[in-house]
Amino acid sequence: MQARIRQLGTHRWVVNGVLIAMMVLIGLLAIAPGRHGMIVADGDFIYHLNRVEAFRQSIVAHQGFSLRNFVTFNQIGVANNYFYPYVFMWLAAWPFVWFSDPITAYYVDLFLLTMLTILITYVCTWLFTRNRFESGLVTVLYVTGPYHVVIAYQHAVFAEALGFALIPLSFLGAYRWLRAPKRAWWLVAVALALTTYAHLISLLFEIGLLTALYLGTLAKENRRGVRFVSGLKMVALYLLLTAFFWVPFMQQWATTAIQTTVRLPQVAWLNDFGSLLVLMANNGSANGLVANPGWFALVALGLIALTWRRLDRWYRGMAVIGMGLLVLSTSLFPWYALPLALQNVIQFPYRLYSLVSFCLIVAGVRALALLAQRFSQSGHYWSNRQLVGAAVIGFSLMTFVGLLKVNNLQAAQSTPYTAVKRPTLKHAFNVRFKLDRHNFRTLFVAPRKFFGTIDYAPQVTWQGNHQDTLITHKVLNGRQRVASQMDANVRRVRYQFKLKRAAQVDVPVLHYGNETVRLNGRVVQATQSKRGSTLVVAKAGHNVVTVRAPLPLTWKILTPIAGLTWLSILGIAGWQWRKRTLLKTSI
């Protein structure tokens, strides 16, 4: 008996060791391009690098944090941190503080993001399945899938990649809350709060799905009152954890009419169902690298059909959600009939692929395990299941390496090395940069135009050709340019200029209504100009205009409350874990 126990213990250590080695291998493969000391930044990657650089400078200057960007995004004071989640972006800035080489810092962030995705996926899936084989298989398939490769490694959309990493936690919270509404409501609040810190579109999808699941359970259960009360507790805890973001968000939204980003005439990059199935069959790599749920999600549809009767209701539910969202992500759903405002919020229906991938992978892996069990010979179930798992994992790793290789070759061959010299307005538009440690900082030198340059600027800034005069730092007296000098740091922007006579002067710093504007050392009441910037009445002679944006009082009050709430959650969770451990030891 003791020998058997030792054998099981050894087996457990071997399995755990293999899983850890495999997960570290995935993380190392993800950052393998870092050996060249270079990155290719495009699209949202440029946008997030500008945010991270602003946070880096805040930390280095011992200023900690700012909701306005005075040192990046052309130094025009964009207030995107009021409207775009920033907690994880602020944390991502720390490696850029610690490492002198920004390329190394980026790959450290990428490795940590990959390992975080792996850890959350494995732990949450294990708590759902209580099966290491299925948990390991789900983790490998989820992390190495093409959609994750596209958002995390091709375009480096940090925010959405973080939302992708937190999806398993949201599903675990929903599962436990639906099973035990009295106890598990806090986990849903935590999952939604972390998603709020990362990506609001992911949060919108998760809240919509959670609401649908909640309404779907009302007709079949007799614990409606208990679930409703626990739902109120969930909302209260969520607000304690996120009010420091939402209250300044709503205050700023009410103060100034802003435009979040470019308005599309309708949702973009919408696949028809047949084209999506073809993309899934070739893993989206036949012609470059294209977002899709992945080959296993397609295989899972067949596996689920074969084992439908043997799947329990939770896995059937995951399968139904995955298949429903798969249809929803294509032109089979009447996207163009939705209100244009909602279409502009969603923008790209392919964002649903993250949810599709997770649901179909979880249900498909369980179906695969059932089939392996069914066709295994008596007494050889473990060996057969391990063989199937090894084959799937091996193929997944090969496709993962292939996707990374396609992405790296495509990026390297299509992008020239970015010039170090300051750009002119004529050459300001650039949506693709090839950067190393020598030219990295040129990414932040004005004037630059890229996707997201004036996201979350006042609405009037988007109307007419105002962007050019703003990003070239033109101080205007009417339509006439006034010669000026500008300097900026993380807390303020300062302009110096001379006038022949007193006049209204338009300073190229976006005006949201909550700034502190000083003219020649005195606080003055500024207004918003026709281009959305700061309008003041300056005197004849030498003038100095300084624009600051202090942190709102609500943020200063609510942020410590959120911190104390997190400490309370961790303390209670640690105490309960300790209590269970002592109970097991005594038994």
Side-chain angles (χ1 to χ4, degrees):
M1 182 67 178
Q2 291 180 349
R4 177 60 177 167
I5 292 174
R6 284 196 299 271
Q7 183 181 5
L8 289 174
T10 303
H11 180 267
R12 185 178 294 111
W13 278 104
V14 170
V15 171
N16 289 339
V18 170
L19 286 173
I20 292 171
M22 181 176 58
M23 292 172 184
V24 172
L25 174 62
I26 292 172
L28 293 175
L29 288 173
I31 64 170
R35 67 187 185 277
H36 301 301
M38 188 171 290
I39 59 174
V40 174
D42 68 348
D44 285 350
F45 189 12
I46 304 168
Y47 181 81
H48 290 309
L49 282 176
N50 273 265
R51 299 184 70 207
V52 168
E53 172 63 12
F55 289 138
R56 183 196 71 82
Q57 292 194 33
S58 294
I59 295 168
V60 170
H62 304 290
Q63 298 295 330
F65 183 80
S66 177
L67 289 171
R68 294 282 289 273
N69 276 303
F70 290 130
V71 291
T72 58
F73 293 98
N74 295 289
Q75 299 86 42
I76 60 175
V78 175
N80 45 20
N81 289 330
Y82 272 96
F83 307 105
Y84 204 117
Y86 47 77
V87 174
F88 286 110
M89 290 296 109
W90 183 80
L91 293 174
W94 281 94
F96 287 83
V97 175
W98 295 329
F99 294 94
S100 59
D101 181 0
I103 307 303
T104 300
Y106 161 71
Y107 280 107
V108 168
D109 271 341
L110 190 61
F111 180 77
L112 292 175
L113 175 60
T114 303
M115 297 311 295
L116 179 69
T117 308
I118 289 170
L119 181 64
I120 292 175
T121 305
Y122 180 79
V123 171
C124 292
T125 308
W126 183 83
L127 290 172
F128 176 68
T129 64
R130 296 291 177 177
N131 187 300
R132 283 178 297 171
F133 168 80
E134 294 181 26
S135 304
L137 209 53
V138 167
T139 301
V140 173
L141 289 165
Y142 187 59
V143 176
T144 62
Y147 190 64
H148 186 235
V149 172
V150 167
I151 62 174
Y153 311 123
Q154 183 185 36
H155 297 307
V157 189
F158 288 151
E160 188 173 358
L162 284 162
F164 182 95
L166 292 165
I167 283 173
L169 183 61
S170 299
F171 270 93
L172 177 67
Y175 163 70
R176 290 199 161 185
W177 182 55
L178 291 173
R179 289 192 63 187
K182 279 188 176 181
R183 293 179 295 173
W185 54 269
W186 66 272
L187 187 57
V188 181
V190 166
L192 294 179
L194 290 173
T195 306
T196 303
Y197 298 168
H199 192 231
L200 295 185
I201 300 299
S202 297
L203 176 70
L204 177 65
F205 290 154
E206 290 175 8
I207 289 177
L209 185 57
L210 185 65
T211 302
L213 291 173
Y214 171 73
L215 295 176
T217 61
L218 291 179
K220 295 185 178 180
E221 68 171 1
N222 54 10
R223 294 184 294 176
R224 298 172 190 170
V226 173
R227 197 178 304 283
F228 179 75
V229 172
S230 67
L232 293 178
K233 293 178 182 178
M234 180 200 309
V235 171
L237 179 58
Y238 170 79
L239 291 177
L240 283 173
L241 294 173
T242 61
F244 73 94
F245 172 76
W246 286 117
V247 172
F249 178 108
M250 298 305 297
Q251 287 175 319
Q252 189 63 76
W253 192 278
T255 302
T256 306
I258 63 127
Q259 183 170 324
T260 56
T261 188
V262 175
R263 287 176 178 167
L264 303 174
Q266 57 193 17
V267 292
W269 291 315
L270 181 63
N271 286 310
D272 63 75
F273 192 72
S275 299
L276 181 57
L277 293 181
V278 172
L279 281 174
M280 293 166 69
N282 62 43
N283 221 34
S285 59
N287 298 299
L289 182 55
V290 183
N292 71 97
W295 67 272
F296 189 82
L298 182 62
V299 172
L301 295 174
L303 296 174
I304 291 166
L306 291 172
T307 58
W308 181 260
R309 292 186 178 182
R310 299 182 64 193
L311 292 171
D312 67 32
R313 66 189 183 104
W314 297 107
Y315 288 98
R316 289 184 183 182
M318 293 287 282
V320 169
I321 292 171
M323 289 185 285
L325 293 176
L326 181 67
V327 171
L328 193 64
S329 68
T330 69
S331 57
L332 290 178
F333 181 80
W335 283 100
Y336 302 138
L338 295 178
L340 185 58
L342 182 57
Q343 291 189 53
N344 269 275
V345 170
I346 305 297
Q347 291 184 315
F348 316 117
Y350 67 67
R351 285 171 163 161
L352 291 168
Y353 293 166
S354 52
L355 294 167
V356 172
S357 298
F358 183 71
C359 292
L360 291 182
I361 287 171
V362 170
V365 165
R366 170 47 66 95
L368 182 65
L370 290 174
L371 284 175
Q373 182 182 15
R374 179 179 179 182
F375 292 109
S376 64
Q377 297 177 357
S378 177
H380 296 283
Y381 166 62
W382 275 101
S383 60
N384 281 3
R385 190 172 67 163
Q386 288 174 343
L387 182 63
V388 171
V392 173
I393 289 173
F395 185 73
S396 298
L397 291 177
M398 285 193 300
T399 58
F400 182 57
V401 172
L403 291 173
L404 291 174
K405 187 175 181 180
V406 168
N407 173 50
N408 296 332
L409 287 175
Q410 189 177 21
Q413 293 173 358
S414 62
T415 309
Y417 186 78
T418 303
V420 178
K421 65 180 181 180
R422 177 184 290 272
T424 62
L425 185 60
K426 182 179 179 181
H427 302 98
F429 185 74
N430 188 359
V431 295
R432 203 168 180 85
F433 295 79
K434 182 179 283 188
L435 305 169
D436 60 18
R437 65 184 303 170
H438 303 293
N439 68 341
F440 183 78
R441 303 296 171 199
T442 62
L443 179 65
F444 314 115
V445 176
R448 289 287 187 198
K449 289 183 183 179
F450 49 83
F451 299 132
T453 305
I454 55 172
D455 281 6
Y456 307 102
Q459 279 185 357
V460 292
T461 304
W462 291 84
Q463 299 165 2
N465 188 26
H466 298 309
Q467 183 178 173
D468 289 354
T469 60
L470 287 169
I471 67 175
T472 51
H473 304 150
K474 289 183 179 179
V475 176
L476 300 178
N477 178 4
R479 295 184 179 182
Q480 183 180 2
R481 179 173 185 175
V482 178
S484 63
Q485 292 180 329
M486 184 273 283
D487 65 281
N489 61 36
V490 294
R491 287 297 189 192
R492 55 95 179 135
V493 176
R494 181 171 60 197
Y495 278 87
Q496 301 184 52
F497 52 87
K498 291 182 179 180
L499 294 177
K500 292 181 179 180
R501 60 180 64 88
Q504 273 196 333
V505 178
D506 185 352
V507 180
V509 181
L510 296 178
H511 187 79
Y512 292 87
N514 60 357
E515 300 85 356
T516 299
V517 181
R518 288 183 178 272
L519 175 62
N520 302 320
R522 299 179 59 184
V523 176
V524 297
Q525 187 68 36
T527 56
Q528 190 181 86
S529 70
K530 292 181 179 179
R531 60 176 180 172
S533 47
T534 303
L535 194 64
V536 296
V537 178
K539 65 181 179 63
H542 182 76
N543 291 273
V544 179
V545 176
T546 304
V547 181
R548 296 179 181 270
L551 290 168
L553 179 62
T554 51
W555 188 91
K556 294 178 181 179
I557 295 172
L558 294 170
T559 300
I561 292 174
L564 290 173
T565 306
W566 277 115
L567 289 175
S568 301
I569 292 171
L570 293 173
I572 294 171
W575 176 76
Q576 290 181 341
W577 176 81
R578 175 71 173 168
K579 186 178 177 181
R580 287 195 300 268
T581 303
L582 291 174
L583 182 61
K584 289 179 181 179
T585 304
S586 63
I587 294 175

